[in-house]
Amino acid sequence: MKIEQILRSALLAGICIGIAGFGYLADEKGYVGAILFAFGLLTVVGYGLKLYTGTAGFIKKGETGQLLLILAGNIVGCLLVALMLRCSPMHLQDTAQKILEGRLAIGALRGCVLAIGCGFIMTTAVTFARKGNNLPLLFGVPLFIVCGFPHCIADAFYYLCVPVDYLKENAIDVLAFYGSIVVGNFIGCNAYRAIFKE
């Protein structure tokens, strides 16, 4: 794929995840939102879009630059939905801030370890979806949310929804934590082929 095509696909994937994240934030109890979040991943797979966690486990040598482009496009897509969220009368920014505060409280190292679980679930779910079985997506998404495993694109959306003043005050901690979960997701996405080489 050309760079422009990758960015367009990644942008739309970020929008899909952002909309799913919007639904999650709108559900005060969180359990229904966790199930509804599966819409984002089902849409990404159905459209064949480029999502960081849906691509990292299948990336080949020399394609790291492509993966970084996908991550950037995903984040911009999330930003567009986060801007839309700021128009909502619901108190979704407060909910997003609570999520971010909870993330920062566990620290970057533990965040990285937990993110491995999400990466493993994502690659497993996408592997099955590519074979026509979407059940692992339907169950895997609520699973990583209930377990508190950070998903770097969903988290990007939540962070971009947080009041700007809070982000400015905690910018270094947020960036350090975010970097750690990007790495953790990548490790988890590649755990299967690293342990069980075909």
Side-chain angles (χ1 to χ4, degrees):
M1 291 179 75
K2 295 179 180 178
I3 291 176
E4 183 183 346
Q5 290 176 309
I6 292 170
L7 285 173
R8 285 175 181 269
S9 179
L11 176 73
L12 187 53
I15 289 172
C16 293
I17 298 302
I19 291 171
F22 198 128
Y24 177 70
L25 293 178
D27 175 40
E28 293 182 8
K29 294 183 180 178
Y31 295 111
V32 172
I35 296 168
L36 293 176
F37 200 101
F39 165 84
L41 279 302
L42 285 167
T43 307
V44 166
V45 171
Y47 281 138
L49 302 174
K50 295 287 187 182
L51 183 69
Y52 177 85
T53 50
T55 307
F58 306 96
I59 206 83
K60 297 174 183 176
K61 287 183 179 180
E63 294 181 342
T64 308
Q66 180 180 330
L67 193 59
L68 294 175
L69 271 178
I70 292 169
L71 179 62
N74 291 163
I75 292 172
V76 174
C78 287
L79 174 61
L80 294 176
V81 182
L83 293 173
M84 182 173 67
L85 177 138
R86 292 173 186 274
C87 298
S88 173
M90 295 182 281
H91 300 287
L92 305 182
Q93 286 184 282
D94 296 337
T95 306
Q97 183 171 325
K98 287 177 184 175
I99 291 172
L100 178 52
E101 288 171 348
R103 297 288 200 246
L104 296 180
I106 66 172
L109 181 59
R110 288 195 291 171
C112 180
V113 173
L114 290 173
I116 293 171
C118 177
F120 180 79
I121 291 170
M122 286 301 305
T123 294
T124 302
V126 171
T127 298
F128 278 83
R130 288 182 174 188
K131 297 176 182 178
N133 183 358
N134 286 327
L135 282 178
L137 274 178
L138 289 172
F139 290 106
V141 173
L143 176 61
F144 79 68
I145 291 174
V146 170
C147 291
F149 296 159
H151 181 282
C152 64
I153 308 306
D155 271 40
F157 172 71
Y158 301 142
Y159 303 173
L160 291 167
C161 293
V162 170
V164 176
D165 290 341
Y166 182 85
L167 285 177
K168 286 181 180 178
E169 291 171 9
N170 299 279
I172 295 174
D173 290 338
V174 171
L175 289 173
F177 185 85
Y178 188 73
S180 75
I181 64 171
V182 169
V183 172
N185 282 169
F186 182 84
I187 294 169
C189 285
N190 289 279
Y192 176 82
R193 63 179 178 175
I195 298 170
F196 189 75
K197 294 182 179 180
E198 296 183 73

